[in-house]
Amino acid sequence: LSKKVEMTNWETGNYINYAKMSENLNIVRQRMNNRPLTYAEKILYSHLDNPHEQEIERGVSYLKLRPDRVACQDATAQMAILQFMSAGMPSVATPSTVHCDHLIEAQIGGEKDLARAQDINKEVYDFLSTACAKYNIGFWKPGSGIIHQIILENYAFPGGLMIGTDSHTPNAGGLGMAAIGVGGADAVDVMANLPWELKAPKVIGVKLTGELSGWASPKDIILKVAGILTVKGGTGAIIEYHGPGVDSISATGMATICNMGAEIGATTSLFPFNDRMYDYLNATKRKHIGDFSRTYAKELKEDQGAEYDSLIEINLSELEPHINGPFTPDLATPISKFKEAVKANNWPEEMKVGLIGSCTNSSYEDMSRAASIARDALDHGIKAKALFTVTPGSEQIRATIERDGQLQTFEEFGGMVLANACGPCIGQWDRRDVKKGEKNSIVSSYNRNFTSRNDANPATHAFVTSPDLVVAMTIAGTLNFNPLTDSLKDKDGNEFKLKAPTGDGLPANGYDPGMDTYQAPPQDRSQVNVAVSPTSDRLQILEPFNAWDGKDATDLPILIKAQGKTTTDHISMAGPWLKYRGHLDNISNNMLIGAINSANGEANNIENYTNGEFGTVPGVARDYKAKGIRWVVVGDWNYGEGSSREHAALEPRHLGGLAIIVRSFARIHETNLKKQGMLPLTFSEPADYDKLNPDDKVDLLCTELAVGKPMTMKVHPKNGESYEIKLSHTFNEGQIEWFKNGSALNTMAKATKN
Ligand code: SF4
């Protein structure tokens, strides 16, 4: 175990530390009286910052962890790196990579789309590539592929712990790595050497028996599980697959299953280390890692008798192919019932577009099986009836299927091969075949199918399924086709049935790496200048926030008293605003524009107390800021639920907010506010929310801030007597320092300098 094995072939000096992991695990085992552990627990506990003292109760404690790696995609990396830069550290403390995949729009096909994206996003790519070079981060250029595929091919290893700034980071579970999607703020912490906090997840076991065959594929396992658990069923839990059925699934198939576990809200999903993973490591030039994992194999699976918080059993021999959707990934219908469901629900029968690939389903195996079906059709003289697109997950996959012929089959079949990027999966799709608002159906092998996700058309019925079924239905051009039972007509009008798909799990002649799309950090990084144009409207260097002035804050206006739900989408809207996610001042123009003002029931229309005029929320906040007036926001229950978007905390801080005072917080948003030096406070008496008027002024006795003690707020109503109420908070000692220093990053920067 003490052997030195590099984590990846792309870096030097970053070793897989099974010795340390084993040592940590033994400490925790002793503390737990050697009770049997799940694999998920083993990975987490072996990465504890302090295995001796960490409190551990599944579903209750907050674990402080030391992840092995960080991965960021280009959309979320911008603000994460800008924040990291403001800490003033010379390089990242944890091995990190950045992947350019989200900003490439699908229009006319791979090469041209990529060239256009390189042009449109030049300043973002230049910033990311120079910042990566400066701070010792591996940079995967546009065209290299989708983050999760690149991670699986190059960085994931059994027993590892990784965080990634993207929801589908769990894909690396296909190689037995616990890979967890986080917000940018968490990534910044780990890059800057802070431990990372995670509520000890519950563990849901999925026991697989039997064997996959015929049209059933790994995707059908997760489509079925999504149907059972629904979009909320995995929340706060790690889904751990185990049982004899596991061995019939390829490593990339396991990755597909883990990837889409994000759709049921799971923290991550995991498979135990097995020979299929070893084979994949071997095929991707990491046999030495596979051999090393074998020496630690005992800890790379669950202990015998490990207990799960709940258990699901699936017999793969009986598993039917499924199609999930429309509009939600947990509406699971087995193919035998799908025709009925289409009719009963009046879903548009004609299938307009079939889309395969994406980070979920673009392995060599997926492509080979899909191509075998397309070839079968071509052999009968027929082609795709619906439009058909292929998104290779990586340059390596694209080059390999080009060499081995699958790509040509897809093109002959009538398909368009898109860039190695997210494309239509994230709405980067210049779709022309239907008009906005026109009801229609599309079927993809992607993972997510919420309204408007792919083409911004709310009338599009998007279904997700295996690549196999996508191709079969593309041939028929209708949702009413079941390849297991129905026949097609060949070019002469004779009926035939499609053969069940076949294809190699791994390329017999090895992978072709294709074009070189990786940029390693240079040896001498001191001379690198990070490229940010001062006139850019998409990128802006962050100035550190001011430290606390050490005084109580008096006479603060309530910027807005929000009523009802205030999610992170209300606080920092997505959509067109995503363009500005690297420019704090510009994106702040969306601050709280979706929140409902309790004074008038309207969104983005609030009174400016200094002049009595009504204006937008960001507009009024800017006016206060210009006049040197700090302000607070008042909100209702579960304020900040939704995503972990750190912009929702950065924006109020940037525009001069001091405190957010609510009945309760979504925890991640609460932590994000603390990190930015804001005061997230809750009414000790929730009913006090009702007492406050939007035009009251308040004093916050910040000097009272201490662990476990409430803070006093004096309320000065416009007409009436002043009174006091108590506000609670969850600050610990370290977090109080964040407030005092102005932010968590200021605190880290201070520590680095000392
Ligand atoms: Fe996310 Fe889709 Fe890209 Fe995968 S392909 S990373 S799901 S946008």
Side-chain angles (χ1 to χ4, degrees):
L1 287 187
S2 53
K3 219 166 90 181
K4 286 203 157 181
V5 173
E6 295 276 4
M7 237 179 249
T8 166
N9 296 336
W10 297 99
E11 296 164 1
T12 48
N14 298 326
Y15 302 104
I16 298 175
N17 206 340
Y18 285 145
K20 173 82 179 149
M21 284 158 63
S22 163
E23 192 185 307
N24 285 355
L25 201 52
N26 286 336
I27 297 167
V28 176
R29 274 191 199 284
Q30 278 183 1
R31 292 180 52 204
M32 295 187 151
N33 299 324
N34 290 315
R35 82 159 160 80
L37 300 174
T38 62
Y39 181 33
E41 289 179 291
K42 289 188 186 185
I43 299 187
L44 294 180
Y45 303 161
S46 63
H47 287 84
L48 282 174
D49 184 46
N50 184 348
H52 289 285
E53 285 166 18
Q54 171 73 55
E55 268 175 42
I56 301 172
E57 192 182 338
R58 282 192 338 211
V60 178
S61 327
Y62 286 94
L63 305 178
K64 281 203 156 78
L65 299 161
R66 292 286 178 179
D68 297 301
R69 300 199 64 86
V70 179
C72 300
Q73 41 100 329
D74 48 1
T76 48
Q78 298 169 48
M79 188 52 83
I81 291 182
L82 286 162
Q83 287 184 81
F84 176 77
M85 286 168 64
S86 77
M89 299 173 79
S91 70
V92 288
T94 307
S96 304
T97 48
V98 165
H99 304 263
C100 296
D101 55 1
H102 274 60
L103 306 177
I104 303 170
E105 187 188 53
Q107 207 173 58
I108 44 177
E111 252 171 71
K112 290 198 175 119
D113 291 348
L114 176 61
R116 200 178 53 252
Q118 278 165 331
D119 187 36
I120 297 171
N121 303 308
K122 187 172 183 316
E123 60 177 331
V124 173
Y125 294 148
D126 285 350
F127 163 66
L128 291 175
S129 87
T130 50
C132 286
K134 179 91 188 160
Y135 298 103
N136 203 21
I137 300 170
F139 179 68
W140 289 85
K141 299 175 203 169
S144 58
I146 306 169
I147 175 168
H148 311 304
Q149 184 67 31
I150 303 280
I151 295 289
L152 195 73
E153 289 173 357
N154 302 283
Y155 296 101
F157 64 88
L161 176 67
M162 184 178 87
I163 59 166
T165 58
D166 190 272
S167 345
H168 295 96
T169 304
N171 190 69
L175 272 181
M177 180 178 229
I180 301 176
V182 298
D186 287 18
V188 177
D189 288 353
V190 176
M191 286 174 175
N193 208 23
L194 273 188
W196 170 65
E197 236 186 50
L198 175 76
K199 189 173 190 177
K202 299 198 171 220
V203 188
I204 298 175
V206 180
K207 185 173 179 189
L208 302 177
T209 58
E211 208 175 313
L212 285 175
S213 64
W215 285 86
S217 74
K219 183 69 164 280
D220 299 304
I221 300 175
I222 184 61
L223 294 172
K224 168 110 187 162
V225 170
I228 297 170
L229 286 174
T230 78
V231 288
K232 289 221 175 85
T235 311
I238 293 184
I239 317 271
E240 184 170 314
Y241 295 84
H242 59 280
V246 166
D247 293 330
S248 71
I249 310 169
S250 62
T252 52
M254 296 188 249
T256 297
I257 296 166
C258 294
N259 176 303
M260 203 180 152
E263 263 42 70
I264 49 179
T267 302
T268 192
S269 300
L270 270 175
F271 277 85
F273 176 60
N274 68 359
D275 289 347
R276 306 300 298 267
M277 292 184 192
Y278 182 91
D279 294 343
Y280 183 76
L281 285 167
N282 188 17
T284 50
K285 304 194 172 66
R286 292 174 290 170
K287 180 171 175 298
H288 55 293
I289 294 183
D291 289 330
F292 193 34
S293 299
R294 281 187 170 165
T295 66
Y296 188 57
K298 183 170 86 56
E299 303 295 17
L300 297 174
K301 60 171 197 253
E302 76 284 2
D303 289 334
Q304 211 174 4
E307 277 180 31
Y308 296 97
D309 292 283
S310 59
L311 188 66
I312 296 169
E313 256 194 78
I314 297 176
N315 181 347
L316 301 183
S317 306
E318 290 167 2
L319 182 65
E320 256 196 88
H322 279 65
I323 302 179
N324 290 20
F327 307 119
T328 180
D330 58 356
L331 182 58
T333 312
I335 182 77
S336 60
K337 302 264 160 49
F338 193 63
K339 222 178 280 183
E340 273 166 52
V342 171
K343 201 161 183 179
N345 295 291
N346 204 15
W347 294 331
E349 283 174 25
E350 188 195 351
M351 169 170 161
K352 287 281 188 189
V353 193
L355 310 100
I356 66 166
S358 92
C359 65
T360 324
N361 267 124
S362 60
S363 65
Y364 189 79
E365 182 178 46
D366 290 331
M367 293 295 161
S368 302
R369 285 171 61 106
S372 80
I373 304 166
R375 177 53 60 199
D376 194 10
L378 291 169
D379 287 346
H380 287 90
I382 59 172
K383 289 186 178 188
K385 202 165 194 178
L387 295 173
F388 181 60
T389 71
V390 182
T391 317
S394 69
E395 169 60 7
Q396 174 161 283
I397 290 288
R398 190 207 58 75
T400 310
I401 62 173
E402 180 174 54
R403 182 198 64 196
D404 291 353
Q406 294 92 334
L407 204 76
Q408 288 76 356
T409 301
F410 291 139
E411 283 175 341
E412 223 180 292
F413 178 64
M416 172 153 74
V417 179
L418 302 173
N420 314 319
C422 301
C425 180
I426 191 67
Q428 293 280 19
W429 186 18
D430 183 15
R431 188 174 176 196
R432 303 267 169 93
D433 66 301
V434 295
K435 288 199 191 67
K436 268 262 166 76
E438 193 179 326
K439 210 171 150 186
N440 74 98
S441 291
I442 62 173
V443 184
S444 80
S445 73
Y446 305 166
N447 42 28
R448 217 161 248 192
N449 59 349
F450 295 120
T451 307
S452 301
R453 175 167 170 105
N454 301 120
D455 60 359
N457 177 2
T460 293
H461 290 50
F463 297 87
V464 289
T465 185
S466 66
D468 305 340
L469 281 199
V470 175
V471 177
M473 294 174 115
T474 300
I475 301 167
T478 166
L479 299 189
N480 286 336
F481 178 67
N482 176 355
L484 283 81
T485 55
D486 302 347
S487 301
L488 292 164
K489 288 215 167 73
D490 72 9
K491 66 174 190 317
D492 305 317
N494 301 318
E495 293 205 342
F496 76 100
K497 273 181 70 183
L498 287 171
K499 291 199 272 286
T502 54
D504 289 342
L506 296 166
N509 297 322
Y511 284 102
D512 180 337
M515 279 180 285
D516 182 8
T517 51
Y518 176 68
Q519 172 197 293
Q523 280 296 339
D524 178 10
R525 295 181 286 105
S526 60
Q527 301 308 313
V528 179
N529 285 320
V530 178
V532 177
S533 154
T535 56
S536 169
D537 69 345
R538 292 178 71 178
L539 292 163
Q540 180 189 37
I541 296 285
L542 285 180
E543 294 297 329
F545 294 124
N546 291 336
W548 176 49
D549 61 8
K551 296 185 196 141
D552 291 334
T554 53
D555 235 13
L556 307 170
I558 296 171
L559 179 71
I560 179 172
K561 180 181 174 189
Q563 71 180 32
K565 249 186 197 301
T566 308
T567 68
T568 43
D569 257 323
H570 297 120
I571 304 169
S572 177
M573 239 172 228
W577 293 96
L578 292 183
K579 186 173 167 225
Y580 299 116
R581 62 200 309 166
H583 196 295
L584 181 55
D585 195 54
N586 283 347
I587 201 167
S588 293
N589 288 329
N590 76 359
M591 186 189 73
L592 283 159
I593 60 177
I596 301 302
N597 179 6
S598 70
N600 56 11
E602 291 175 35
N604 206 19
N605 191 18
I606 59 168
E607 186 178 353
N608 182 328
Y609 90 95
T610 63
N611 53 24
E613 284 170 16
F614 277 77
T616 63
V617 183
V620 174
R622 280 185 195 280
D623 186 57
Y624 290 167
K625 186 182 177 184
K627 292 172 176 157
I629 303 166
R630 298 205 74 182
W631 44 264
V632 302
V633 167
V634 172
D636 217 321
W637 296 106
N638 210 18
Y639 183 94
E641 69 180 290
S643 84
S644 54
R645 201 171 293 161
E646 72 266 39
H647 297 81
L650 280 160
E651 294 177 22
R653 178 71 165 113
H654 173 64
L655 294 186
L658 175 66
I660 310 288
I661 304 160
V662 301
R663 292 212 236 224
S664 71
F665 279 106
R667 186 176 177 277
I668 295 178
H669 183 60
E670 181 186 17
T671 310
N672 285 348
L673 286 167
K674 288 180 189 166
K675 283 180 185 164
Q676 303 307 342
M678 298 274 302
L679 290 171
L681 305 166
T682 51
F683 295 102
S684 302
E685 283 301 324
D688 286 343
Y689 168 89
D690 297 315
K691 284 198 208 156
L692 287 183
N693 298 309
D695 55 3
D696 292 347
K697 294 277 193 51
V698 300
D699 301 341
L700 275 178
L701 305 192
C702 307
T703 49
E704 289 180 4
L705 182 62
V707 178
K709 296 214 183 94
M711 183 188 284
T712 309
M713 177 162 84
K714 288 189 188 155
V715 184
H716 309 293
K718 205 168 177 182
N719 311 304
E721 288 284 296
S722 296
Y723 62 94
E724 284 187 3
I725 59 174
K726 290 289 177 196
L727 301 174
S728 304
H729 66 83
T730 58
F731 277 90
N732 61 30
E733 289 290 354
Q735 293 168 337
I736 289 179
E737 288 306 304
W738 299 349
F739 172 71
K740 288 184 175 164
N741 292 318
S743 68
L745 278 175
N746 287 357
T747 310
M748 278 182 259
K750 211 169 143 184
T752 319
K753 275 177 210 129
N754 288 342

